[in-house]
Structure formats: structure tokens, C-alpha cells
Amino acid sequence: MYKAGIAGATGYTGVELVQLIHRHPQLEVGWITSESSAGKCLSDVHAVPWAYPLIPLHEAYDRASEVDVVFLCLPHGHSIMAALRFSATGVRVIDLSADFRLADADSYRRWYGAEHSAPEMLPHFVYGLCEIYREQIRGAQLIANPGCYPTTVNLGLYPLAKAGWLGHHIIVDSKSGVSGAGRSTKLAYQFVEANENLTPYNVGYRHRHIGEMERVLNGVSRNGGFRFTFSPHLLPVSRGILSTMYVTVPAGVTESQIRDLYAETYAGEPFIHLLPAGQIATLRHTTYTNRCAISITPANPDQPEGQEYIIVATEDNLIKGASGQAIQNFNIAAGLDETAGLW
Amino acid sequence: MYKAGIAGATGYTGVELVQLIHRHPQLEVGWITSESSAGKCLSDVHAVPWAYPLIPLHEAYDRASEVDVVFLCLPHGHSIMAALRFSATGVRVIDLSADFRLADADSYRRWYGAEHSAPEMLPHFVYGLCEIYREQIRGAQLIANPGCYPTTVNLGLYPLAKAGWLGHHIIVDSKSGVSGAGRSTKLAYQFVEANENLTPYNVGYRHRHIGEMERVLNGVSRNGGFRFTFSPHLLPVSRGILSTMYVTVPAGVTESQIRDLYAETYAGEPFIHLLPAGQIATLRHTTYTNRCAISITPANPDQPEGQEYIIVATEDNLIKGASGQAIQNFNIAAGLDETAGLW
Amino acid sequence: MYKAGIAGATGYTGVELVQLIHRHPQLEVGWITSESSAGKCLSDVHAVPWAYPLIPLHEAYDRASEVDVVFLCLPHGHSIMAALRFSATGVRVIDLSADFRLADADSYRRWYGAEHSAPEMLPHFVYGLCEIYREQIRGAQLIANPGCYPTTVNLGLYPLAKAGWLGHHIIVDSKSGVSGAGRSTKLAYQFVEANENLTPYNVGYRHRHIGEMERVLNGVSRNGGFRFTFSPHLLPVSRGILSTMYVTVPAGVTESQIRDLYAETYAGEPFIHLLPAGQIATLRHTTYTNRCAISITPANPDQPEGQEYIIVATEDNLIKGASGQAIQNFNIAAGLDETAGLW
Amino acid sequence: MYKAGIAGATGYTGVELVQLIHRHPQLEVGWITSESSAGKCLSDVHAVPWAYPLIPLHEAYDRASEVDVVFLCLPHGHSIMAALRFSATGVRVIDLSADFRLADADSYRRWYGAEHSAPEMLPHFVYGLCEIYREQIRGAQLIANPGCYPTTVNLGLYPLAKAGWLGHHIIVDSKSGVSGAGRSTKLAYQFVEANENLTPYNVGYRHRHIGEMERVLNGVSRNGGFRFTFSPHLLPVSRGILSTMYVTVPAGVTESQIRDLYAETYAGEPFIHLLPAGQIATLRHTTYTNRCAISITPANPDQPEGQEYIIVATEDNLIKGASGQAIQNFNIAAGLDETAGLW
């Protein structure tokens, strides 16, 4: 039985992680930290029956040796120091923040508008998009868990990019449930503001998550240099992301070739759900699961060999888009069955 | 054309009031105050196209003479001073807070846990439950607009209380949309917390609004001395209150007598919607209207002369439960058509 | 006082129309038809207090002379015969179905997959997109009320198209509340299926409403021949449509020129809400109003003279997208104040 | 590894059962039936990736020997014949319908308004409310899975009833998510009808589920003969039931004694979550779990020894209120760990 420490467990990803660990046959909770609720227990701040004590983060550093893995669910920017201190103890670290997701300091500066305070650490973190970087994840000690939006986009377009079939300009229209914004109390996320509403934000080439799309898709493609237009929308649901992607493929590539490509690329993947022709992925295909559902639709039914496609990819942003994929990363890194605790 | 000043216009009741005034044929906006957003305009803080400047409250006192009525949409506790200062200028004041809703200082202390800072003003405010106190409202200069929950309970039970047919113990199970909590950013009102959830709170004999039920129903009844069990629940809708009330009537009183009593009591009332036998009031009967819908159902269909009844009353908490009734109060006080601006 | 007949009043657009007429100072309900609920009254099938009798359609033909205008809220395909019979009596007809929205029989066949049964009538109907075809609507006897999706797309792109600045390929990612599907009881529109879900459907070049986009935008543009990729999504809200449109403009055209173009085009329009730079249209800007909100955002903030823009347009699908625009059409046709009953 | 047959698997309880079985370490799917979708597979009618073929019910009878347990998720009234035919083969039957939940033919006639067609079978079915009838369930071949509402009421009041402390008149105000109505396409359950609404129905002494409350609470209590007022409400959430119960206890019984009683009664129960003083059960405490959360609140904080209490009990209606409890029943009957597959 492995033990997990969870730093920052009172946000939505933290408590989701605790619930996933409760179902995991080989992993159990060691300790849980919370700055704002230290001294209380988890059942005081979430509607769960588990009375784990919430300790402050500084106590956790001394207790690193009690656990086999530390999951960092800290706010962006707070993970860097925590990752340094935990990794120095030799414990495995899986960081759910954005602090180590980009490949280098330039990209970080471009997307986060600040200097990374430990840029030398960036190359030591594996980007934990399991289906694409599984080999690097095996045995890894430092893993950066991917962002929620990029997981749908990268999994949805990876086969095309890898094959060199992905057109240069990619338009992604994404819709995310409100839990993606975290458990902070901002006006925009109040029930009355978000309910019966739909709010586009940071449309175009503005959202930080584009950095992860560029990293992955440019990285796996022979032609690279993709141009992204990415428009996220705040959706009045609690959980789930749906990305509608408008792409082109080279003349001569047929729908059937594309379907074969996806089927081969994801053959045997336990968490990829490829939809048959005629069906389109919905949130419902993936909420409360660790799956990513992907559908492929040619834009114009009257032009069977047309070059324009609509790829839709969905996930549960708190599971495959965060805590579930973190568990999947742990399973791979520790050499367990990759699906353990994720059914 | 009358002019209105609105103090504290960026909350939900304030902006609802502005929208109602926009439809009103004889009332228009004079000035609007906001402490937190002073210097901005209304369209900066709400998704409305009207660019009214938001002035700080202290400027409004000097501009009292520009308007015919001031609506106070201030947080509870902040209305007392504002009411004193505005009323000293001779302008009509309609207070949407709870500060002047109770009849005396003892009752205020009992339910608000503090001394009222201007108890001598309490008798000068008319309690603006229009259908019950219409005569006192005509020409009134100082009106306390009722609370959202009590409006459903008092309108739903007034005929029985007035007739002396209302049993001593009243159980009210109320469910309110989240806008009832105001536009404050508390964790409990975040979308992810409130959505797909239902949260009872302050159940039993704890909620401040019981004071208004005691004031009205004890006041209109010959037998009085009612005992209330009142359980509010936070409902995952933006607007609307539904109160399910469990009451008893004296032996010998028939359903048909009760229906006649309600029909007579509310004959000609433009905003009371009495449902026919067999139908039950829902939120949908009243949302986005100034109506209160009321249904009467005997508890046991096999005991036609039974004494137990389930009265359901619904309203839109932002309209009949707040800003709509405030307009209705203004219409009555100013001698206008009572329904002006409320269709 | 004008009188309206409403054919097919128990669907969502029908009952919305009744509610709008109730607020209209110069229009009142004459008669209302319903096939499925004939013999009942409106308050039996909707949570409204108005007990209008529901008569079968065939009785309405004999009563055409009692009203000044007939609104057809019939299912698609059923309006053709009704329009013929009512128009033969000389009464003004405003058809809310899709039966007369396209310009000619070829286009109808292309998008509806069937022959139009009265193609000679098509040229006699004015396409009632008020802000664009106002002059033709004045005095018109036969008006085809536009579809809900095309209203957002056509109003959102009209200025660019008219100026000849709209790039050849237009990608529209639309999201619609469930009332857009009508009051039919299909599994996909059941609460449990639609709630906490998001469902793309008919993505690409498949949805019938593309015909209306082609008609309007090709018609008003000098360059024409636009290619549409249109992807509708079923959104878990009751009302509202948001269309996110990805367009290009010619090199050299600046954001400031585009803003000026929109401001001039829509100067004085009571129902167009142009958002200032930095704000994006949301559903909340328009629900429960007859407005269309439009925002303009350059895709890349680092390329101020870039050619790619994201236009977002929103509306309430039951008001500006259906019954409100029908009233607006009536107001224009009858020579009334265009905003009567629509505030 | 045990195998399960599921009769009627395309409703909400059926597909929930399939998902629970997928997580169960000792149970797997044998066959699945569907009348309406026979010939298709499960992934054609639900957004799940498992392509189980859907066979017609009559084929299942011949394949009874392939499985160890048959779960009947058939519409009410259709289970009787299926239960007879399956039980005749010797296979264990767990019936999720209402057909065998009541103790005798009289009670069935009273609440279902018809004669039971196999009344001699009623005594052979164990009423599968696990926490109360665990001993009878062990080894049982025929189990009637309880109704969703009664599970909250019976678990919430069982300790008081058993102790003889439950007052004679019980008022239950229940609120249920829409999935409780099944996957039928009725107007009331359409998104636009149920969303932003709250609908009381069958209030008082009308709902069939009262029969199960009478059976259990009268059965376990020494004083018995309880009188129920039960008012269900349709709540705009997908899943979850919350019952607010207004009860009295004998004079002299203290809150502390009641808390001790509940703690002792449910000591060691894995699926009962007793909330501490000051907290009230919400839907969130139990959705997506097999738990029942129970809170106890004295009505009046100023009368510490008062006799009136508000008991709130919540559950996920599809899990503890249906398919989860069915699995729990199977686990108990088959001698497995009671929690297998239910974390």
C-alpha cells in the first residue's frame, strides 16, 4: 500500500483527489495540508465523511518521508517552492499547478508574464499527458500534470499532428464547467452570475493554456509551427470541458484514413473513447470518469473528400483534466496498473 | 413624470429596480449610488446597456430634492442612517432593507440580536405588504418593504388568520433561489457549491424573517399567538421562492369555505393568482412577474372534511419579494395605478 | 387598440408572444388556437393566470376579420396552408415558422429536403430581420420572422458584409438554450439528458439555418459567396443563444475602423447593444430582452493590425430570436413606435 | 466472479447499475435486456463506452442459468411476471420496481389502486432496506429493493421509531432530482419545464411511497400507527433526494439522548453519515455515493428540552435510493463484503 501526501487539499482538485484515493486499491491518504483551514478537518470544509486533519504546509515538509508521493494542489505560483523542498527529500512529486508545465523559461515568461523563479527545474519535470508521454512518465520522480483545456486539445489533435496531417491554423472553441476556476469566491463564479449564462473570456490568442498546446502539438509534429485561435467560455455546469476544434487536413486524405489513424494511435488506450462515425462527443460521455471522448466529423457531408474537419473532445475537467490524470500519472510512474482506482 | 433615486443600486434588488423603472410609464431614474463602484457606471458592473453614473451615497443626500422617491437598497444596518437623512429632506423613502420592518425595539432586538439605533422611527414606517396594508400605504412617506420569505407566508396565510381559522402551530418549509442571498461573494453561493445541491439552513425557530410573520399574522388574527417552525432551503435556481405550509383549520370548516374565503379576500387583487382546486403553485407561476401564486390542498383526499391543509405560495423573490413590491408601494403611496410598470 | 390572433399558442414562442402582447400598449389578444389542447384554456397548459380559451385552427379562419394581425406559431410545414388561408382574408400575417424564410424554391429544397408546396408565395414574404430590412417591412402584409440562430449571425456580421470587409470563410460556433427546440417531448431535451451536459449537433454545413445566413449575408455583400461552417450546441440553459464567430478582414482594415463601421451601421438602433472594447457579449446581456448584444475582439492582442477577429453576438432566442422580433415586425409594419411593448 | 443479468437496462437505474458493476471487484455483466432498444447496444443509447448487446426480455429467461443474480429494472407492473419466471429457474432476483415492496395485498391495493396479480409471492420477498433488515437479507433469494423517498424517511426516523420516541404525526417535505421520474419523455420533465422551477406534487397523503414508510416505521415501532403527511417536490437537479422531516419526541427526551440513540443504532454502518450538531445534511453530502446523510436539529434553540425536531436525510436517488442499494443487497445476500463496488 502506497501513501500519498496532498498539499492544498481543500480546493476542488484536492478533494477530488482524496475521493479518488479512497477508491484506489493500492494508495491511501498519508497527510493533507491546508493553509486557510489548518486545524480543522476535511469534513468541516467539504461534504465528505472523512475527518482527516488539515495540517499547515510547513509541517508537511517534515513528514515527507511518511509518504511515497506528494500531490501539489497549490495555487499557481506556490508550487515552485513546495516542489523544490519536497523533491529535495527524494519523494515523488506530481504537481497539479501550472508552474512546471512549460518546457522553458521563455515560454513561461511569454504566457505567465513573469520570470520563472526556478527555471533550471523545468527540464526535470516530465509533462504528464499520459497517452502521449507514457514512456517518459515511467519511473519519473517529477511530473507536471497537464492543464484541463490542453488535455482535450492535445489528445484530440495528437494523431493528426503526429501524422503531419494537421493544418497550420487551428481554431479551438472550448467550453468549461465552473469548477475549472477553482474554489475561489469571485463574483463571476457566483451561482446567480454563472447560472443561465454563457461567458466567453480571453478569446483569441490570450489564454495561458495555449502554451501547453504549442508545446505538445508543435513538439510531436514534423511540420509544427501551428497557429492557435483559442476561445474559452464559462459554461453553466459544475464539471466538464468540451472543445470544438476546426481543422484542415491535406487534400487527398480521406475520412476513413483519419479514422484509421485515430484508431491505431489510441488502440488499447483504456481512457480514450473514440466515437463512431455519426456520433459527436458530449460532456456526458466523460463526466465523473477519467476518459477523454473524441469525435471526428467532416464539415460538409456533400464533399466527402473535403479538407475541413470538426474534432470534438470532452473530459471531466476535475478527473482527466486534473486529479484523475494525476492518479494515472502516479500509477504509471510507480509501475502499477494504469487504471488502478480510476474505474 | 416622477423621478427616483436609488441608494445601493449594484446589488440584485437595485439593478432589478432600475429595470422595472425603465418599463414604468410615470417613473424614471434620477440618480443611482454605489459605494464600491462609485465613479463607474451601471453598465460596467451589470450586463445592462444603461450608462448611469454611480455616485457615492454622500453626494446623494445633497441631491435628494432632485427626486420624488428614494429607494434604499443598502445592506441591512446601513439603511437606518440613510433613512434618517433622506426623510429629513422631506423626500419619500421606501426602504428595501430589514431595518424598519419590525414593529418595535423589542422585536428587533429579539431577531437581530442588537439594539435598534433609531427605535423612535419604527412606528413612522408603514409595513409595505400591499395587499394587506394598502390603506396605510396611501400617501405614506416612509415605507418598509417586506422581506422575501414573509411575503409568501403572510399572503399565503392571511385569509385564514384574519378569519380566525388558522391553527396555532404553523410549519413552513421554504425554498429560495440564490439571488435571495444578495450579490455577495460567499463560498456557499458559488456556482459549484449551490448547483446540483439543496441546502437547508437556520431551520426551526431561528431565521430573522419569522419576526415579520409574527408581526403580520398575529396582528391580523383575533386569536394570534402563532407558533412558527420555519425551515428555509437554498435552492439551485436564480430566482423564486416557494413556501410549503402545513396548517390546520377548525373542525367543521370545509375546503369550499376556505376557497371562498381566499377568493373574497383577494377579489380584484391584480397580483394574487389563486390556483383552482387540483393545481399546486410552482415557481414558474410567478418568476419574472410581480405575482404571488397560492394553492390550497387538503392533506388527505379520503377525508374531505379533514382539518389539515397544505398551502403553497410562490413569488419571484426579486420582484414581488423585493423590487416589484417596492414599485407597487410607490404606486400606491403616490396615488398612481397600482400596476403601473409591473406588467 | 389592435387585436392579434395567435395560431399555435401553446408552444414556447406562442406563450411568450401572449406575454409580450400583455405588456403592449396598443395590441391585445383576440383569439388563440391550439390543436392538441383545444377546449382547454391557456392557464391549463401554462403557468400563466390568463384563461384564454384555446380554439381549434379551423375556427380561427372564420374569425380572421376579428383581428388585425395573425401570428403563426405553428410547427414547420404547417404554416404554408395557414398563411395562404389567412392572407386570403386580407389580414396581416407574421409567420414564426421556417416556411417562408428562404428566397426561392431551390434554396428551400436544398435546406429542407422537400419541395415547397406554395413556392409562388415566397417572393411575397418580406424577411423580417428588422434592423436590415426595415424599409421593406413598413406596411408589409406578409412577413417571415427570422430563425433564432441566423438573427445572431446576420446581425453580428451585417456591417462587415455590407462594407465588403467580411472574409470568404466564416466559422460560427453557436450555443443555444433548450427552449430553441420547442415544447416537444424528446429524450434529448429531458432535464436529466440536457442538464450538466453540452451537446454539439449538425456541426459543419448541415443545419437548415445556414440558408438564412447565406440569403442575408450574400445578399447584402458586394463580394458574396461566403462559405459557412456552422456548429450549433445544445446548452443547459432555458433561453439564450450565443454565437462565437471567427472571421477575417482585409489587410489594412483596423480595429478602430471596424468599431466605427458597427457604430455607424447601428446608430440609433434601440435593440442593438454594441459592447465597448475589452468587453465580450454574454447571454446575460440579452436574456429577457429584445436586444442583440455584439462584441468585437481582435484575435491576437500582440498583432494590433491582424486580420482575424472574433465577433460574439447574443440574444434571447424566444424574444429577439422569435416572439419579440415578431412584435417588432408588427410595430414596424403597422407604423407604431418600433419599441412598443418591448421594454 | 459472479455474473449479473439486468432486465431493463436502458433506464437511469439500469445504466447506473451497469456502471456500478463495472467497478465491482466480484461482479460482472452477463446479459442486459431492453425491449425498446433490442438489437442495439448499450453505447448506442447511453453515453458509455461499453458495447453490450441489448437482448429482448424473452431471450433472457432462457439465459437465466448464465448468471448468479438478475436485477429487475423494469417499469412498475412489469416486474411481477419477470420475477415469477426468473425465480422459477432458481436464480437470485433483486427487483428494483415497486411490485414487491409492500407486505400484503391490502396495502398494495390501497396504494397502487389495483389488485396484485401474484399476492402469494409478497411474503417471499425480503424488503431490502439494508441497514434495518440485514439479517433477513443474508442468503435471501428474492429481494424487493426499496423506493427512493422511503429510504431517506425510513433511515432518517428508524432510530426514533424503534426506541418508541417518534411522535404520532410525521410531516415529511421531500425534494427529489428529476432522474427519480425515470427516463420517460413527459412534458413535466423536459429541461425547460423543470429548470429554474420547483414543483410540488401529490402533497399530503397521496403518494404511493407512503406505503413503504408505514410498513417500515409502523413495523419497527412499539407504538406504531403513525400518521404521515408527505409532500414531494420536483427539484431542478439531476440526482439526489432531501427529506426535511418535522417530528416530535416525548417530553423529557433530550437532544443528547437522541444523538446517542442514532450513534448507537448506526454504529459501524459504512453508508450512514451522521452529521455533528450544528451541521445539516445537504444533497452534496451524498450525491454520487451510496451514503445516507442524516442531521438532527432541535426546532428552537431557546428551548433546549423542546420536543420538536427537524431531521434531514439525504441520498443519491439513483445509488442509495436504487442501484447502489441493489448492489448492497446483492453483497449481503451473497455473503460478500457489503461495501464491495460501492466506494
Side-chain angles (χ1 to χ4, degrees), chain B residues 294-314:
Chain B
I294 301 171
S295 65
I296 301 161
T297 311
N300 192 331
D302 300 334
Q303 296 176 12
E305 298 308 304
Q307 297 174 243
E308 194 183 349
Y309 280 81
I310 295 143
I311 310 292
V312 177
T314 65

Side-chain angles (χ1 to χ4, degrees), chain A residues 265-290:
Chain A
T265 305
Y266 290 132
E269 286 294 346
F271 298 119
I272 302 291
H273 183 189
L274 289 181
L275 290 170
Q279 290 186 18
I280 307 184
T282 67
L283 288 191
R284 188 61 46 85
H285 282 94
T286 53
T287 35
Y288 291 93
T289 81
N290 193 51

Side-chain angles (χ1 to χ4, degrees), chain B residues 171-174 203-204 229-233 246, chain D residues 169-173 175 244-248 308-311:
Chain B
I171 292 180
V172 179
D173 192 284
S174 286
V203 300
T229 300
F230 170 62
S231 298
H233 299 67
Y246 300 90
Chain D
H169 185 200
I170 299 164
I171 292 181
V172 179
D173 192 284
K175 301 89 177 172
T244 311
M245 298 176 265
Y246 300 88
V247 300
T248 53
E308 193 184 348
Y309 280 82
I310 295 144
I311 310 291

Side-chain angles (χ1 to χ4, degrees), chain A residues 219-279:
Chain A
V220 301
S221 172
R222 289 174 305 193
N223 55 348
F226 297 113
R227 183 160 68 84
F228 287 89
T229 301
F230 170 62
S231 297
H233 299 66
L234 188 71
L235 187 68
V237 305
S238 289
R239 339 169 36 126
I241 286 180
L242 184 148
S243 292
T244 312
M245 297 177 266
Y246 299 89
V247 301
T248 54
V249 301
V253 171
T254 66
E255 180 183 352
S256 145
Q257 287 175 308
I258 294 172
R259 294 199 169 279
D260 288 349
L261 171 69
Y262 275 72
E264 283 164 33
T265 305
Y266 290 132
E269 286 294 346
F271 298 119
I272 302 291
H273 183 189
L274 289 181
L275 290 170
Q279 290 186 18

